[in-house]
Amino acid sequence: MKEMDNIRNFCIIAHIDHGKSTLADRLLEFTGTLNQRQMQAQVLDNMDLEREKGITIKAHAIQMNYQLNNQEYTLNLIDTPGHVDFSYEVSRSIAACEGALLIVDAAQGIQAQTISNLYLALDHNLEIIPVLNKIDLPAAMPEEVTDQIVDLIGCKREDVIRASAKEGIGIEEILKAVVYRVPPPKGNGKAPLQAMIFDSVFNSFRGIEVYFRVFNGVIKKNDKVKFVNTGMEYNADEIGVLKLDKHPREEIGTGNVGYLISGIKVAKEVKVGDTITHAAHPGEAIKGFENVKPMVFAGIYPVETSEFEELRASMEKLQLNDAALVWEPETSAALGFGFRCGFLGMLHMEIVQERLEREFDMTVITTVPSVEFRATLTNGEVITINAPSEMPDPTTMSFIEEPFIAAQIISKAEFIGPIITLCMDKRGIIKNQVYLTSDRVELSFDMPLSEIVFDFFDKLKTISKGYASLDYHLIGFRESDMVKLDVMLNGDRVDALSAIVHRAKSYEWGRKLCEKLKELIPRHMFEVAIQASIGQKIIARETVSAMRKNVLAKCYGGDISRKRKLLEKQKKGKKRMRQIGTVEVPQEAFMAVLKIN
């Protein structure tokens, strides 16, 4: 029992860019987990992409040892992302902890994602330790932001720890607070084994590494273990704890966090949220976290059709490391075989595409993103539509519903006007407006998800000079007048360019899309007609003119009929070419929809 009292499991939650990863660096340095040589800025963000974009994408677990009053404490820290698209990573980390450091930037104050991550933590009854970070900045407002924190959590003013991760101020206070305030894990070491998987990584030499947190019982090396949800049994070849690299151990007790390697080769066999137990005397499954709800759907296709199987294998490996990715196979007339994938948002989609290209060397085409619609047919049957190609014939459909979200936008008061205009433009309905302080406003809107998918976040950041923060959750489906907009090139429908749009916006959308495609589709030897249509009705058209050779160059002077004869001959050739020629559509054209302003 003694060992358990000295374990503390905690995570770090905050809005994007409030200094979580830097604080994690200082904690690791202070506890001597890393030496000077291993130290680099944001040491836990070990993916190239994380370093380039300066964001945390994955939650990272690491163990530290800390001495206090002649007692050795084991601290398991999980650093989490702050961007709204990766809140699923945060929810998994929270499920494995008893406490959370809530970090607030002293210059920016509390933002939307801070609040939503805080509610996630409170739902799991975590002990919250508020930390005011970046107090060394000239723009810091420690007193005002402390008031905001006290209002939000209802703690005492002296409970808020003032720190600067960059300068290393307040690090010792944070560690002491973790030891004193975060409760030790509860659990029974004698009970049957129950450990929850909260992450997994693919290692090409050793199979899949599973990261877990033990809730009851003890796991020992070479135990025969069973994964409850999938029913598979394995041998625990190696278990251990995670420092910056892996440290093998003979056993891992109740309340601790560790990793397991058992040569699992098939990605499908590991489900995040599953329970590990002993094969001989199994325990109950732990209620894991809820299944992920993708918000945005897009098709991912290999550029070379022959690489389909390779892409499937890459997607499976990527899914291990990114449990929020959902996919199933689909086919398209224009692009061949590929996958329909569900993402949590546009940033998530961009990251997945980048990771496929970098980590697995796959070049892929991504189709236009769309959201999930629900259509009720005239015979009362309800079907879900994830892609424009699945939209039923309008005559067989009685109505169609689209997903709505409740959006919370926190911003400075001076930007209210433009933000409301933007949300109204996107068919939003304003619900509430609350002044948090004299200068900060929280706006609540109900909005269609399909309007937020494309560039809403970027536009919001632009008009608010980067100050507004957005958080949203799904509130259900509402009936709406949606139509399927088709794009035809020389009369042939290109299914990968279709979109489902609101009727009120369809004409403008069709016109802009045709104009954009005209710029992106290269000129051919024949004329290319680009048309946008709803059903049989053409609503916009642009023409890419043909490249043509000057057949009159050899004719100088002489009768007009000679010239006309040559031109007629050329015209016939062009006509024949148009019948057999196919239009080449470059990759950029498939993403044209995203660039429509």
Side-chain angles (χ1 to χ4, degrees):
M1 199 58 198
K2 187 100 176 61
E3 182 197 9
M4 245 171 69
D5 291 344
N6 288 3
I7 297 178
R8 300 287 183 274
N9 297 320
F10 68 105
C11 57
I12 303 184
I13 53 179
H15 188 79
I16 188 166
D17 218 11
H18 280 201
K20 295 177 294 300
S21 302
T22 312
L23 181 73
D25 290 355
R26 290 298 90 73
L27 294 174
L28 295 175
E29 222 168 37
F30 193 88
T31 53
T33 309
L34 302 182
N35 55 35
Q36 274 323 103
R37 203 188 59 194
Q38 293 167 311
M39 200 59 221
Q40 51 170 341
Q42 284 90 28
V43 67
L44 292 179
D45 292 351
N46 49 14
M47 243 155 63
D48 309 346
L49 265 174
E50 292 183 312
R51 297 198 154 281
E52 279 169 35
K53 293 187 184 279
I55 54 177
T56 305
I57 295 170
K58 288 287 304 158
H60 300 276
I62 192 161
Q63 191 175 81
M64 308 177 277
N65 293 349
Y66 178 54
Q67 290 273 353
L68 183 65
N69 311 336
N70 298 327
Q71 285 271 7
E72 170 100 3
Y73 289 94
T74 302
L75 309 181
N76 289 312
L77 155 72
I78 302 179
D79 174 31
T80 63
H83 193 283
V84 60
D85 274 13
F86 302 113
S87 54
Y88 187 64
E89 290 282 329
V90 182
S91 74
R92 303 198 332 240
S93 316
I94 284 175
C97 294
E98 275 87 28
L101 293 178
L102 178 76
I103 299 193
V104 181
D105 184 331
Q108 295 191 16
I110 285 173
Q111 306 215 308
Q113 200 53 33
T114 319
I115 297 175
S116 84
N117 284 346
L118 171 70
Y119 287 153
L120 271 178
L122 291 174
D123 282 350
H124 283 80
N125 301 327
L126 298 200
E127 178 62 39
I128 307 287
I129 302 175
V131 176
L132 190 61
N133 194 15
K134 306 195 185 184
I135 54 166
D136 57 316
L137 289 182
M141 311 172 289
E143 297 308 320
E144 295 162 39
V145 180
T146 304
D147 288 341
Q148 288 179 20
I149 296 176
V150 171
D151 283 353
L152 181 68
I153 315 181
C155 59
K156 301 192 190 72
R157 283 187 75 90
E158 55 271 21
D159 287 348
V160 181
I161 301 172
R162 297 195 173 186
S164 161
K166 201 169 185 181
E167 301 296 323
I169 305 166
I171 301 302
E172 194 168 0
E173 285 78 34
I174 293 176
L175 284 165
K176 281 182 178 160
V178 168
V179 171
Y180 290 138
R181 294 197 217 166
V182 174
K186 297 181 182 61
N188 181 355
K190 303 278 187 287
L193 172 68
Q194 280 183 312
M196 185 180 71
I197 301 176
F198 65 88
D199 208 353
S200 55
V201 184
F202 185 80
N203 177 333
S204 44
F205 301 108
R206 312 198 51 188
I208 293 157
E209 299 167 8
V210 178
Y211 299 161
F212 60 86
R213 145 88 201 261
V214 183
F215 282 97
N216 286 312
V218 177
I219 182 169
K220 297 188 168 135
K221 191 174 172 181
N222 295 327
D223 274 354
K224 188 99 163 111
V225 294
K226 176 179 175 183
F227 289 14
V228 178
N229 284 350
T230 54
M232 305 295 282
E233 297 190 0
Y234 306 102
N235 207 21
D237 298 339
E238 182 183 311
I239 57 171
V241 295
L242 293 153
K243 301 256 172 126
L244 193 58
D245 28 30
K246 298 179 208 54
H247 289 251
R249 293 275 187 275
E250 285 305 309
E251 65 172 68
I252 291 180
T254 308
N256 219 335
V257 173
Y259 70 90
L260 161 80
I261 299 178
S262 57
I264 306 171
K265 293 284 184 288
V266 186
K268 285 200 197 70
E269 292 175 15
V270 178
K271 283 200 167 50
V272 168
D274 200 349
T275 306
I276 305 176
T277 181
H278 281 130
H281 30 264
E284 309 262 301
I286 306 169
K287 195 177 154 296
F289 10 88
E290 70 288 351
N291 273 337
V292 56
K293 289 214 171 51
M295 296 281 187
V296 178
F297 294 87
I300 287 189
Y301 292 85
V303 174
E304 296 295 327
T305 335
S306 55
E307 288 176 358
F308 174 69
E309 282 304 324
E310 219 170 302
L311 179 62
R312 181 197 291 266
S314 307
M315 297 282 273
E316 283 180 356
K317 289 174 191 168
L318 187 59
Q319 194 174 20
L320 278 178
N321 200 289
D322 180 352
L325 178 66
V326 182
W327 53 270
E328 56 184 32
E330 76 163 358
T331 55
S332 143
L335 298 171
F337 289 104
F339 298 97
R340 168 82 9 197
C341 306
F343 307 97
L344 295 181
M346 290 301 281
L347 177 70
H348 186 208
M349 176 173 133
E350 191 186 320
I351 298 288
V352 167
Q353 194 182 346
E354 282 270 314
R355 287 182 68 183
L356 280 173
E357 292 188 356
R358 292 187 185 195
E359 294 171 29
F360 302 102
D361 213 14
M362 300 293 310
T363 25
V364 293
I365 290 180
T366 318
T367 64
V368 181
S370 74
V371 300
E372 180 176 275
F373 296 97
R374 226 187 247 166
T376 303
L377 306 180
T378 39
N379 62 9
E381 190 191 341
V382 179
I383 56 172
T384 52
I385 303 168
N386 284 339
S389 55
E390 295 170 8
M391 183 111 157
D393 192 314
T395 51
T396 63
M397 201 164 53
S398 60
F399 61 89
I400 185 167
E401 295 169 302
E402 62 172 334
F404 264 70
I405 58 167
Q408 281 169 311
I409 297 171
I410 297 183
S411 163
K412 286 196 158 179
E414 63 197 87
F415 304 121
I416 288 186
I419 289 176
I420 292 181
T421 316
L422 172 71
C423 293
M424 295 299 194
D425 255 5
K426 300 277 185 191
R427 316 203 318 265
I429 305 154
I430 187 159
K431 285 290 180 192
N432 202 353
Q433 177 175 338
V434 185
Y435 276 82
L436 301 173
T437 65
S438 57
D439 191 36
R440 292 167 62 78
V441 186
E442 180 180 32
L443 298 165
S444 307
F445 288 93
D446 283 359
M447 298 175 75
L449 179 63
S450 56
E451 296 283 346
I452 282 202
V453 166
F454 292 130
D455 54 356
F456 178 77
F457 195 57
D458 301 349
K459 282 187 175 160
L460 181 68
K461 284 290 188 202
T462 311
I463 58 179
S464 65
K465 303 194 176 143
Y467 275 109
S469 59
L470 167 77
D471 183 51
Y472 59 82
H473 59 268
L474 217 55
I475 50 174
F477 285 78
R478 295 186 188 173
E479 197 176 322
S480 225
D481 188 10
M482 308 303 288
V483 292
K484 179 179 170 199
L485 185 77
D486 281 314
V487 173
M488 302 195 289
L489 298 178
N490 279 351
D492 293 334
R493 288 201 175 166
V494 183
D495 57 357
L497 288 170
S498 317
I500 297 176
V501 289
H502 195 265
R503 195 181 293 275
K505 294 191 164 188
S506 58
Y507 283 86
E508 188 192 0
W509 182 275
R511 199 186 73 243
K512 285 184 173 166
L513 185 54
C514 288
E515 284 167 9
K516 199 80 208 165
L517 286 171
K518 184 181 177 180
E519 294 166 25
L520 294 170
I521 289 179
R523 288 174 67 185
H524 290 61
M525 294 304 290
F526 49 92
E527 211 174 71
V528 178
I530 304 169
Q531 293 165 311
S533 70
I534 295 173
Q536 297 304 315
K537 189 176 178 190
I538 305 285
I539 57 171
R541 165 170 175 144
E542 291 286 333
T543 310
V544 180
S545 52
M547 293 191 283
R548 46 184 290 231
K549 185 177 161 197
N550 185 0
V551 286
L552 303 182
K554 59 180 185 222
C555 262
Y556 46 93
D559 185 19
I560 184 70
S561 59
R562 285 178 59 203
K563 292 183 181 170
R564 191 170 292 137
K565 186 176 156 194
L566 287 168
L567 286 170
E568 286 295 327
K569 191 174 165 190
Q570 184 185 31
K571 198 167 165 188
K572 267 187 194 153
K574 291 273 180 214
K575 200 169 176 185
R576 188 179 311 118
M577 191 184 270
R578 181 177 164 175
Q579 282 165 359
I580 56 170
T582 50
V583 185
E584 278 186 16
V585 187
Q587 152 85 38
E588 294 83 59
F590 291 112
M591 297 315 277
V593 178
L594 299 185
K595 300 186 182 68
I596 292 179
N597 302 326

